[in-house]
Each structure stands twice: as C-alpha cells, then as structure tokens.
Amino acid sequence: MEVSFNSKHQDFGKCISIKGNHLTQISRSQFSRNKFLTIQFQGHFEKKIILCIAVLSDVWADVIVSGTRVSTRRTPVFRPIKYAKCGPVDQRRGAKSKSTAKLDELPQGALEPVPDTVEMDDQGPVYSTVVQQARNNMRKYEKCVVLTRVGSFYEVHSPFKSGPFSTLTLQQLYCEQAVEYGPLLNLKVAQKRSKAGLPPVPMAGFPFFQLDRFLKILVQDLNKYVAISEEFANDPSGKVKSGGLMFDRRVTRIVTPGTLIDEKFMNPYENNFLLAVHPTSNDRDVATVGDRPVELKNNVLDPELSSIRVGLAWLDLSTGDFLTQAINIMTLPSALARIGAKEVIVSDTLNNAVLSNITSIVNHERLLLTPHNGKHAELPISAWTSMLESPTPKAAEAAFTHEETAAGSMLLTYVAEKLQGLDLKLQPPQRRLELDTMSIDKNSLRGLEVLVTSREGIAGGKGTLLHTVRQTVTRSGSRLLKDWLSSPSASISVINARLDLVSILLHSSALRESIVKELRCTFDCQRLVQQFSMGRGDADDLVSLFKTIEITESIAGLLQKTLLPNSADEPGHAASGLLRLMYGRFSLDGPRALATRISTAIDEEGLMQSHRKEENDSQGYISAAQDVLQSEGSAADYDEMPRILRAKVAQQGPSELEATDEDTWIMRKTASPPLQSLHNSLSELCQQREELTVALRSETGAQSLTLRYAASSGHVCHVKGVKDVHNTAKAALGGRVGRATKSSRTFYNTQWTNLGAKMDLVKYQIRAEEQRILHELREQVVLNLVKLRRNAAVLDELDIGCAFASLAKDQGLTRPTLNMSRNHKIIGGRHPTVKLGLEEEGRVFVGNDCFVGEEERVWLITGPNMGGKSTFLRQNALISILAQTGSFVPAEHAELGIVDQMFTRVGSADDLYRDQSTFMVEMLETAVILNQATSRSFVIMDEIGRGTTPEDGIAVAFACLHHLYHHNQCRTLFATHFHALAGEGGSFSFKHRLQKGINRASHALKVARLAGIPESAIQTAEKVLAKIGPVLVHDSGPIR
C-alpha cells in the first residue's frame, strides 16, 4: 500500500513511521501561521487500517490513498476511509513535499465501525534532545526543580504551578520558571535555539562546579525539592536503542532539606536530621481509625487525641546516625524542638483529625512537612538490613514498638526513593526511651536559651548555654555536645562515668593538653566514613581518613602511657579503670592496616598538583561561557559578562586555552604491580618523544620546536619565532600544516601522531588502574566501617571531656553529686551565661542558694523588677541540665536529684497569626506543665497571671501553685507580681469591637479553661477569686 499527500503550503512537513505491526507515530506539521495538520494511522494491519485526517487550519491539502483523493477543508474533518487495492499513486498536484510508506502483503478485510470523531493526542512540538529529556524528567518528578546536566553546565527546569506538564509550548513553562527562580538564583534567562519553525526555549544555567551554591539556595533557603539529572554516555547498543543519541540524561538523586549527604554548605557543627512521624492508636495505624472532622481550637492539640502514641524515626545521611523513639502525641512539639529535624515526613494515609494536628505542630515549628506513601510503613525490621552496616539482632527487633517500626520503615523507603538506588550503610537503629533522658520541652529550650537565643533566634549564638560551654575542637564533638545538652542523661551510671572522665582530665593537665592538641588535627571521621559507605569518597577523603587514623593511634598511645606504673599522670584506681575502659573501646588493628595501605598508595604531592591543575583549568570554563554567549546569546549578553572575566579570556592566547599534555597522578607508581609496569612503559615512550624532538629540531633547524597535545587539534608540532616559522615552512616534513601565524606555527607529523596515540593509550590505562585502586581502597574502608565509627565515637567523648575539664578550670566549676532523691540543693549557684556577661562589663555576679525538694517542694519568690528573680529561676534549671549532661556546674556545692522532665514558663509573647494573645500563650504553656509534670520534674514559672487583672491573676497563680504542690508534687520555683483590676464570671464570647466606656472584666479563668488548665485548678482559682475579689475591686474614679 502506498500513501501520499501533498499541500500547496510551502512549510508543510511530513512524518510517517512504522513500529512493529502498527503505524504508531503521529505526524505533525506546523504552518508559518502556527496552524497544524495531523495525519494519524490507527489499527492492526492484519485486519484493518483507518486513516483519519484532521485539519486545523485554513490551508487546503490533498491526501491520496491508493488512488483515492481525500480533500481537507477549513472545518476539521474526521473521516474513516477504507483502503482500496494497492496500486500506483496518482500525483495530481505539484506537491511541495511527499512522504511514502510501503507495506508488503497487507491483509485485506472489513473495517470495524469507528466513532464519528477521533480524539487527537496533542503531544506538542518535538524539541531538541536535551529539552525533550528535561521535559520527560519534569513530567516524572512533578514536585521537583530539575537540574539537567549539559556538558559543563546545569540547566534549570521547574514544574508547572498548576500541575503536571501540559501540552503548552515550552516557552510558557520556562517563562514561569524564569520569573520564579531567575531573581532568586540571580541567573539571567537566555533563549536556547530550537528547531526550525519552533520558538526558542528560555533557559537558565550555571557551571557544574557551582552546584553546591545553587543547591543551598534552592534546598536550604527555599525548602525546594531538587532532582539532579546527570548525563551518561551511550554505548553502541544504547545509541541504536535511543536513535543515535550520544548521551542519556536521567535523574540520579533527589535532594531535599533532610537528605543532604556531603554538600559543602551543610553546617559542620549540626546534624542534618530527617524525621519520620507515624501515629498509632491501640497498636493500629491511625489511618484505620474512623475518620472524623476535628476543629482545632486556638491551634491547640486536640485533647481527645491524647491517647495516640507516635513513632519517631530520624537519621542523618551525612553521619549514618539512625534513632527511633515512641512518645505520646502530646509531647510531639517538644520532640520536634529537641531533634531539630530539617524535614519531617508523614504518611499520606492519616485521617484528617490526626493529620491536621500534626500539620499544625510541624508548621508551628516552621519545618518542612512532606507526605509519603503510607503503605511502606508495613515493612518489617528485617527489610532494613540492606541499608544497615550490620543486621539488627532478633532480640533487638522484639524491643521496637509497632509505631517505631512503621516510622523507621517509612523513613528508609523515603531515603531509598530520593537516593535513586545509591548504596547506603547506616548505623544500627538505636532506641531512645523516655526514661533514659531528661525531657526538655520546647518552651524550656527556648526560654532557657539552651541552643538558640530567645531574641534573635541564632542557633549556638552568644548568650546560649551551648555557646558558653562549647570548647570542643572537633566538628563531630560539637554535634555530640549539642545532642547531650538537648537530651541530658537520666542514668546515674552514665552521668557519673562522664563526670569521672572530666575529673581525670581536669587533674591531668598534661594528658588533656596532649589530647586536645591531637584532636585539633583530626578530620570529621563520622562524615568521612559515611561518604565511603555511599561510594562517594575521593582521594582527598582517603588522605584525611589516613591522618585521622594516625591521630587515633596516637591518642590511644597517650591513654596507654597514662595507665603505666610510675607515670607522672598516673590516676587513681577508679580513674584507671575508666581510662582502661576508654582505651579498650578503640579498635586499631583493621584501621591501622587500612592507613598503611592508603599511605603507600596515594601520592599526596601528586594530589596537590592535581588540585593546582584543576584551578588553572577553571579558566577553560570562562572560555566556555564566552563561547556559549557568542553562539547562544546576543551582543548584550556578552556585554553583561563581568569585565574581569572578559579580560582574563582576552589576555590568554589561543594555545593557552587549549589543554596541555601535562599529567598528574594521584597514586604512587608503586601502588600496584600493574601500575608500576604501566609507568615504566610511559617512561619509555617519553624517552622516545625526547629523541623524536631532537631529531625534528635537527631536521628542521627549528630549536623552538616542541611536541604538544591539544584537545582541539590533537598531537602537533609547535614552533615559535619568526626564524623558526620560516625554516619549518621550507622544510619538507610530509605532514599537513595546522594553525599558522607570523610568530608561531603548528603542523602534523606522522611519527609524533603514532607515538602520541601510544602514550594516550598508556595514560588511559594508568588512570583506569588508579580508579581500580581507589575503588579497592573504598571497599577496605567499608570493611572497617564499624571499627572506624567506634573509634570516632571515643574521640568525640574525649573531646567533650576535655572541653568540660577546661571549662571547669577556667570558671571554677564544681562536680555535682547526683542521686535518686527529689532534692535540689545548691550553695552559691551562678547563672553560667549571665556571669560571663557581667564579667565582660567588669561586674560581679552574686551567687544564691537553693534548697527545694522533699521538705519544701515549692519556693515562692517575690521581689522588685531587676532584682534577679528570673535569673535565679533560670540558673537552677541550667545547673540541673549541666549536671545531667555530665559537666561540672557553676556552684560551690551541688547535690541534685535526677530530673525526668524540665518545664519552664518564662517571658511573654503573643502569637497573633494563630489568634493567641499574650495571656493565652501563657495559659497554653501552663497547661502543658500542669498536665505533664511528674514528681521528679523540675518546674520554674515566672509571673503567672500578669497578662490579666490582679484578682484573676492571683487566682490563677494560686491555683497553679496549689495544683503543682498537691497533684504534681514536683520541685517548683515560682516568681510572680500581683496587679489589681475587676472581673466577673459567666459564659462569654469576644466581639473584638471597641465600645465607649471602661471594661472591668478580664475573663482570665475562661481563657485558662480554654487553654486546657485542669478543671481542679480552675475550681481552686474560682474559690480564691470569690474571696479576694471584693477586697481588691474598688472604684477609683475616672482617670484624668
């Protein structure tokens, strides 16, 4: 069968293709007036063929099928046509274009009925390969900003705001992307040329070596998901399958705020946690609980959901830390503040009530919330093994709760999805029990300024407890210190072990100084090892790991030397046991052999030369940018290129911009026998090159002749100088001439071309052998993964111990005594940060005693403004936190009972966005304390009731004290002021409208009830208010 068509229009194109037994490709042609003509073939050749013509233009065209003409007119026509007997096609008009398809032995048969209209699949214009591949990735990853690798550049693509990729032209898509991301990334949107007849495609790009810079803006600053599409060279079979494409571009990784690995913009002193939250009720997923609409009142967690348990699982891909915990949903806000995750994922199958509450909590903490497929929560712990450095023991598996397992499974599947198959080896999951650590709620973390300043919100800023005590010298030690401060231990044995280490290092100054000196030279071993576990470590990382292993051995030797008899720093019996235990935790055999192998394989001098060459080669990117601007952009684009860059390009001659034949090697020649043999062969070839150079100089008489290699021209002979150029022009060398100027000339020589090809082959083999050795070293690092991480953990603890010892020496701190009582006995206590601030001003801090506990559970503190009440409250809370962290404390004497929860109600602030007044915020925080504090908790409350009238404030304050003393029975420091106004009861609603007159009702008890204050406390306040109300209320007359 032959099918032919013609058109009077000059720009009419054609496209007919056959695939298998079907004509599958829809042909589309664009007229100069942006009109389309489509010819579509459908059906199976064995039985039928239907030709449907749809003309969406005002151009006449004729289509001839087996001698039958079908005319198309302005009105779209959809007409099925039976084919006739195949025969010659009668070309009746002078066609501007023609397309023919032949099918041998085409079966005949009746056509099945078809609808009167056929829906056309409008796929849009066919763009260039790069744009089309980017478009496909954008369809697949709708929620991501797509960065497509194109040679040495990344091009920026973004999803539609309205949904998935539509059939609109790419110009509109990229215009939206340019408007949204161009100003944010400070990138100029250029016009990428497209095929003839198609509009140019706007694009914005940046060199690949600036990837981290733009990832920081997109991921860390804007909380965007970024899909990185790399290019892969197609092998011969791949080229055939892809229709001759040289490269295939596919997404290799999706970067989110919680899945950073080794990006340079990561904060080295903080963990980058990704947290999964999975709530359950009665050991069932909340998704199975009946869905019911619940309206949040004042953005407060619904008390009806208080029985729900929540499984938490969080990990740091940069270090391999993996932890889980089961908590009550009421403590979720505090857990989020304590963990400090960069991204939170939840199941997309949660019912509306729970999801609304969790979303409100996460949004209040200003964290990124990401829904994830809830079906992954059904995986067992055994499915985690492939992503762990070692399997989880069966006994340990039984300890995990249902909600922890569900959260962990959801977390790992999310990570695997974002890493796109990248290998991963995490540490075995560690369970955290609520009883093992002191729980510090989010209000206490903020009010006490443990990690973040309350005013500026600066993490670790001056004025925080972390800034005051952080004298660590390693990055991983700083991360561990932050974790200890946010989750102090509640185990007396763990605390005393930390305090014993501080005591030893405090009294052994030489040992402490030697350890600190060694630690300063270490690298971040936790993150280094994790890079190798993911197959990402390079030669520089191996050198850093080698040096860290050497320092680890040196520190272990210091500990061993201290344990020897008659040592100058010989500790006591108890201290010797602790140091012996610390020394025994080191695993040195495997890492020592690894360090030896690294030192004998990697050439550090060659590595440094390689870096210098890379810096010099960066000028090539400037030249590439100039070429792009000249070919893709306009004259105005080139004018906007920074002058300093244009000057550098102009200063460089053409030969200087070409690659040279200087080679640097990162491996020693003796790293392996094959590598030694290859270097010997290369040396012989280099000798032949020198001999050839001498021969050619003698033959041509050009003493400036050199044999060079340039990527643009290959192996050439180069001469410079007018005399040598003149001599080589006369010489009959039998080779063709390359580039020539008045002062230089390049030409080709067969001998040098053949010799250069041999040298290139040997160099390629050397680099392949170096990569094999590098891969072998990576595997050895992975084999020692557990030992290296164990050694790094010991170094981190030593770093914190030395920091606490130095802090104790500098500030005169005292070792606290901890027990299981409910006492809090402090003599001469000081505020750790306020004291330093006063000393900077030349002032002296006045210490105070505190004896609150079983005999006097509550201290009521009054005094004038600026009298130090708030400082006294906070310093006692901070002393308890420091003591249970394992540090000495700022006091002359400290005897403390273990605290299970720390609660703080200090300061004043409203939250108008969430419709919460100052008093409502105060009552919400108070409600948390009264509902959650236990007999082992420590509570400090400052000026309760100050946001309302004096009688209401006194009533609320007394009710809180009464409840804390009789019901919670916890240690409490309570500071307050009293003020006087009038109040009355009854049901109420706020009209939020100003009226003329004086208001004498504050409705404090009703706001307290709305905030969740226990009803028993409300009733106590009502009784107090009834007694004191008539005394305090009086009419003082109008204010003049």
Side-chain angles (χ1 to χ4, degrees):
M1 175 184 127
E2 295 184 355
V3 178
S4 175
F5 59 86
N6 57 24
S7 170
K8 296 179 180 179
H9 201 282
Q10 181 177 1
D11 295 329
F12 182 77
K14 66 279 183 183
C15 180
I16 298 177
S17 66
I18 300 176
K19 183 177 181 182
N21 292 328
H22 296 75
L23 286 167
T24 58
Q25 182 168 339
I26 300 174
S27 75
R28 170 170 304 183
S29 305
Q30 182 177 20
F31 292 87
S32 62
R33 288 174 291 184
N34 294 326
K35 306 297 182 181
F36 295 86
L37 178 137
T38 303
I39 298 178
Q40 182 176 7
F41 296 87
Q42 295 180 344
H44 199 279
F45 292 170
E46 294 180 357
K47 301 296 182 182
K48 59 188 178 178
I49 182 170
I50 302 173
L51 175 62
C52 300
I53 302 114
V55 180
L56 306 177
S57 68
D58 57 0
V59 180
W60 286 70
D62 289 347
V63 178
I64 303 172
V65 180
S66 300
T68 303
R69 177 187 300 176
V70 179
S71 297
T72 61
R73 304 181 181 275
R74 176 174 303 184
T75 304
V77 178
F78 299 86
R79 184 180 302 169
I81 303 174
K82 293 185 179 180
Y83 56 83
K85 185 176 181 179
C86 295
V89 177
D90 183 11
Q91 186 81 13
R92 303 192 180 186
R93 295 189 180 183
K96 297 299 182 182
S97 59
K98 180 177 180 180
S99 180
T100 302
K102 294 183 178 181
L103 300 174
D104 297 335
E105 300 179 357
L106 185 65
Q108 305 296 313
L111 290 173
E112 296 181 2
V114 296
D116 293 337
T117 60
V118 179
E119 227 178 89
M120 308 304 296
D121 185 13
D122 187 14
Q123 292 186 346
V126 179
Y127 289 95
S128 64
T129 302
V130 176
V131 177
Q132 193 63 42
Q133 288 174 339
R135 177 186 178 187
N136 296 337
N137 286 331
M138 291 166 60
R139 284 177 170 177
K140 186 175 181 180
Y141 304 98
E142 300 173 4
K143 298 180 179 179
C144 299
V145 178
V146 180
L147 301 182
T148 304
R149 178 71 176 266
V150 183
S152 297
F153 288 84
Y154 280 100
E155 294 184 357
V156 185
H157 311 280
S158 173
F160 274 120
K161 295 180 180 179
S162 57
F165 199 99
S166 69
T167 56
L168 298 176
T169 63
L170 281 178
Q171 185 175 1
Q172 182 176 358
L173 170 67
Y174 289 108
C175 282
E176 291 183 4
Q177 172 254 308
V179 170
E180 183 175 1
Y181 293 104
L184 298 176
L185 300 179
N186 199 23
L187 295 176
K188 180 177 177 58
V189 179
Q191 301 294 322
K192 186 179 181 67
R193 296 176 182 175
S194 187
K195 294 183 177 179
L198 296 178
V201 180
M203 54 83 69
F206 54 86
F208 74 94
F209 57 83
Q210 292 184 336
L211 178 61
D212 279 346
R213 170 190 170 189
F214 290 98
L215 275 181
K216 179 185 184 301
I217 299 175
L218 290 170
V219 177
Q220 198 171 67
D221 299 341
L222 302 179
N223 276 344
K224 298 294 182 181
Y225 309 103
V226 177
I228 300 178
S229 176
E230 298 287 355
E231 59 182 9
F232 299 87
N234 281 327
D235 55 15
S237 62
K239 292 180 182 179
V240 173
K241 294 179 181 179
S242 61
L245 298 181
M246 296 292 295
F247 294 97
D248 179 30
R249 291 175 178 84
R250 57 181 182 270
V251 173
T252 59
R253 181 185 168 201
I254 300 175
V255 185
T256 69
T259 57
L260 301 179
I261 300 176
D262 58 356
E263 282 67 25
K264 296 179 181 179
F265 57 83
M266 294 177 63
N267 189 339
Y269 302 104
E270 293 183 0
N271 285 101
N272 195 86
F273 283 127
L274 171 68
L275 172 67
V277 178
H278 187 85
T280 62
S281 179
N282 298 325
D283 294 331
R284 295 185 302 164
D285 290 348
V286 176
T288 64
V289 180
D291 194 5
R292 56 183 178 81
V294 176
E295 181 180 358
L296 294 181
K297 299 178 180 179
N298 293 284
N299 297 284
V300 181
L301 193 64
D302 183 9
E304 299 180 18
L305 304 177
S306 59
S307 62
I308 293 178
R309 299 287 295 174
V310 175
L312 302 178
W314 64 101
L315 60 80
D316 184 351
L317 285 179
S318 66
T319 62
D321 294 326
F322 182 21
L323 305 99
T324 67
Q325 187 176 14
I327 63 173
N328 186 279
I329 195 172
M330 302 298 290
T331 61
L332 180 59
S334 299
L336 293 177
R338 182 185 73 249
I339 296 171
K342 307 299 182 183
E343 182 181 0
V344 180
I345 60 176
V346 295
S347 172
D348 56 6
T349 60
L350 295 178
N351 71 48
N352 293 338
V354 177
L355 183 60
S356 297
N357 280 272
I358 293 179
T359 302
S360 177
I361 295 171
V362 174
N363 291 340
H364 189 269
E365 297 298 323
R366 299 179 181 178
L367 301 175
L368 176 63
L369 182 66
T370 304
H372 187 53
N373 196 334
K375 68 179 182 180
H376 298 305
E378 302 174 359
L379 298 177
I381 295 181
S382 57
W384 303 356
T385 304
S386 62
M387 302 181 71
L388 303 178
E389 65 182 18
S390 59
T392 304
K394 292 294 183 181
E397 288 186 14
F400 288 90
T401 63
H402 169 70
E403 54 268 21
E404 287 178 293
T405 304
S409 298
M410 184 168 57
L411 180 69
L412 294 181
T413 53
Y414 179 83
V415 169
E417 176 185 303
K418 300 307 176 187
L419 295 184
Q420 297 286 301
L422 186 66
D423 193 18
L424 179 65
K425 295 298 179 185
L426 299 171
Q427 300 182 42
Q430 300 179 10
R431 293 192 69 228
R432 278 198 174 176
L433 302 178
E434 292 183 276
L435 298 179
D436 290 343
T437 59
M438 177 199 296
S439 175
I440 308 177
D441 73 322
K442 66 171 186 176
N443 298 321
S444 299
L445 285 173
R446 182 185 66 250
L448 297 175
E449 297 183 303
V450 177
L451 305 176
V452 181
T453 58
S454 59
R455 184 177 296 273
E456 296 87 2
I458 301 176
K462 189 174 183 180
T464 63
L465 180 64
L466 176 61
H467 179 271
T468 301
V469 303
R470 185 172 60 195
Q471 296 191 17
T472 50
V473 295
T474 67
R475 297 174 175 181
S476 53
S478 298
R479 294 195 299 268
L480 182 61
L481 174 61
K482 181 181 178 182
D483 180 61
W484 283 9
L485 287 175
S486 60
S487 301
S489 177
S491 169
I492 292 182
S493 60
V494 172
I495 297 171
N496 284 332
R498 296 175 182 176
L499 293 173
D500 290 341
L501 179 61
V502 176
S503 297
I504 295 172
L505 296 173
L506 176 62
H507 295 97
S508 303
S509 299
L511 176 62
R512 182 181 74 251
E513 293 173 359
S514 298
I515 291 177
V516 170
K517 181 180 179 181
E518 295 288 352
L519 288 174
R520 290 185 187 276
C521 300
T522 61
F523 295 84
D524 196 339
C525 189
Q526 294 281 10
R527 288 187 169 173
L528 281 176
V529 170
Q530 183 64 10
Q531 289 182 41
F532 286 105
S533 73
M534 305 179 76
R536 297 172 64 93
D538 56 16
D540 291 289
D541 297 326
L542 284 170
V543 172
S544 300
L545 184 61
F546 156 70
K547 294 179 179 179
T548 302
I549 294 174
E550 280 194 328
I551 293 173
T552 302
E553 289 191 78
S554 177
I555 293 176
L558 291 174
L559 296 182
Q560 187 180 32
K561 182 180 179 180
T562 305
L563 294 172
L564 295 176
N566 301 323
S567 172
D569 291 327
E570 183 179 0
H573 178 71
S576 298
L578 177 62
L579 290 182
R580 190 172 288 105
L581 180 63
M582 296 286 291
Y583 176 79
R585 291 172 57 188
F586 282 115
S587 298
L588 301 176
D589 293 338
R592 183 183 294 114
L594 173 63
T596 302
R597 175 58 178 148
I598 293 174
S599 63
T600 57
I602 295 182
D603 184 0
E604 292 188 49
E605 182 62 30
L607 194 59
M608 294 177 63
Q609 292 178 4
S610 177
H611 292 326
R612 286 194 291 267
K613 183 180 179 182
E614 289 176 358
E615 293 177 0
N616 295 332
D617 291 344
S618 63
Q619 297 299 328
Y621 299 126
I622 301 175
S623 177
Q626 183 190 37
D627 294 340
V628 170
L629 289 175
Q630 291 177 346
S631 60
E632 305 282 352
S634 61
D637 296 331
Y638 180 76
D639 292 338
E640 291 185 3
M641 184 178 181
R643 293 183 179 180
I644 186 173
L645 298 185
R646 282 185 282 164
K648 289 182 179 179
V649 175
Q651 290 172 2
Q652 293 176 331
S655 61
E656 294 174 336
L657 294 177
E658 295 178 342
T660 65
D661 57 349
E662 296 181 2
D663 295 289
T664 57
W665 312 108
I666 62 174
M667 296 292 173
R668 300 181 187 273
K669 297 179 180 180
T670 57
S672 69
L675 189 61
Q676 179 71 63
S677 176
L678 290 171
H679 275 288
N680 292 337
S681 299
L682 182 61
S683 298
E684 295 176 0
L685 294 174
C686 290
Q687 181 63 32
Q688 295 179 23
R689 174 182 174 177
E690 295 296 330
E691 295 173 357
L692 180 60
T693 301
V694 173
L696 291 177
R697 287 176 178 175
S698 175
E699 182 178 353
T700 61
Q703 296 302 313
S704 65
L705 185 146
T706 56
L707 303 181
R708 295 186 178 184
Y709 170 79
S712 59
S713 53
H715 296 87
V716 296
C717 302
H718 180 269
V719 294
K720 61 181 179 179
V722 177
K723 180 180 179 180
D724 287 348
V725 170
H726 180 72
N727 292 338
T728 55
K730 296 180 179 180
L733 300 176
R736 63 185 179 90
V737 177
R739 185 170 50 198
T741 64
K742 292 182 179 180
S743 60
S744 66
R745 177 190 299 275
T746 62
F747 57 89
Y748 294 86
N749 178 271
T750 304
Q751 291 178 286
W752 169 231
T753 301
N754 295 334
L755 180 61
K758 293 180 181 179
M759 294 180 66
D760 289 344
L761 177 60
V762 174
K763 291 177 181 179
Y764 173 79
Q765 293 173 339
I766 290 176
R767 299 199 185 282
E769 178 64 15
E770 286 190 340
Q771 289 301 311
R772 187 197 66 79
I773 297 173
L774 182 61
H775 181 70
E776 174 190 319
L777 292 174
R778 286 171 177 165
E779 290 182 341
Q780 292 188 23
V781 173
V782 174
L783 292 176
N784 290 275
L785 196 61
V786 176
K787 296 180 179 179
L788 291 171
R789 282 175 169 166
R790 185 181 301 140
N791 294 343
V794 178
L795 294 183
D796 293 344
E797 293 180 20
L798 286 172
D799 188 16
I800 296 179
C802 291
F804 282 168
S806 300
L807 185 70
K809 179 182 179 182
D810 296 340
Q811 299 188 18
L813 307 185
T814 302
R815 174 170 179 161
T817 301
L818 290 104
N819 50 52
M820 295 305 296
S821 69
R822 301 176 187 178
N823 292 321
H824 181 90
K825 298 180 180 179
I826 299 294
I827 298 177
R830 306 181 297 274
H831 194 293
T833 60
V834 174
K835 175 180 177 293
L836 294 180
L838 291 177
E839 289 177 349
E840 290 179 358
E841 299 176 0
R843 301 165 62 188
V844 179
F845 186 94
V846 178
N848 279 289
D849 304 338
C850 181
F851 303 98
V852 61
E854 295 179 351
E855 296 182 359
E856 297 178 348
R857 290 197 296 269
V858 177
W859 271 25
L860 181 62
I861 304 163
T862 60
N865 289 320
M866 297 295 294
K869 300 186 302 299
S870 298
T871 301
F872 177 77
L873 266 59
R874 288 176 170 88
Q875 77 184 32
N876 283 280
L878 292 175
I879 286 174
S880 292
I881 292 175
L882 280 176
Q884 293 189 213
T885 299
S887 169
F888 285 20
V889 297
E892 297 177 6
H893 174 79
E895 182 180 344
L896 308 171
I898 293 294
V899 176
D900 64 349
Q901 297 181 86
M902 179 68 66
F903 293 102
T904 301
R905 159 82 283 283
V906 295
S908 63
D910 53 25
D911 195 347
L912 300 181
Y913 177 76
R914 294 176 174 81
D915 194 26
Q916 295 176 2
S917 66
T918 303
F919 185 69
M920 171 57 80
V921 172
E922 179 183 312
M923 289 297 97
L924 289 174
E925 296 177 0
T926 302
V928 171
I929 297 174
L930 300 185
N931 287 312
Q932 298 181 18
T934 69
S935 60
R936 291 197 176 276
S937 300
F938 193 92
V939 176
I940 63 173
M941 305 186 78
D942 190 9
E943 300 185 16
I944 292 297
R946 66 178 174 178
T948 184
T949 61
E951 58 275 15
D952 284 355
I954 293 175
V956 170
F958 181 84
C960 291
L961 280 172
H962 185 276
H963 195 278
L964 288 169
Y965 185 85
H966 291 283
H967 295 271
N968 303 104
Q969 299 182 1
C970 56
R971 288 161 283 185
T972 304
L973 298 179
F974 198 103
T976 185
H977 287 288
F978 302 118
H979 303 282
L981 282 176
E984 59 181 287
S987 60
F988 75 102
S989 63
F990 295 124
K991 296 181 179 180
H992 304 287
R993 184 181 299 275
L994 290 175
Q995 295 180 0
K996 186 177 181 179
I998 299 175
N999 177 59
R1000 301 188 183 279
S1002 62
H1003 310 290
L1005 300 187
K1006 298 160 191 174
V1007 175
R1009 181 180 282 111
L1010 183 63
I1013 297 294
E1015 189 62 29
S1016 60
I1018 297 293
Q1019 294 175 1
T1020 302
E1022 289 175 344
K1023 295 178 181 178
V1024 174
L1025 182 59
K1027 294 181 179 179
I1028 67 174
V1031 177
L1032 294 178
V1033 178
H1034 62 277
D1035 187 1
S1036 58
I1039 301 176
R1040 300 186 186 275

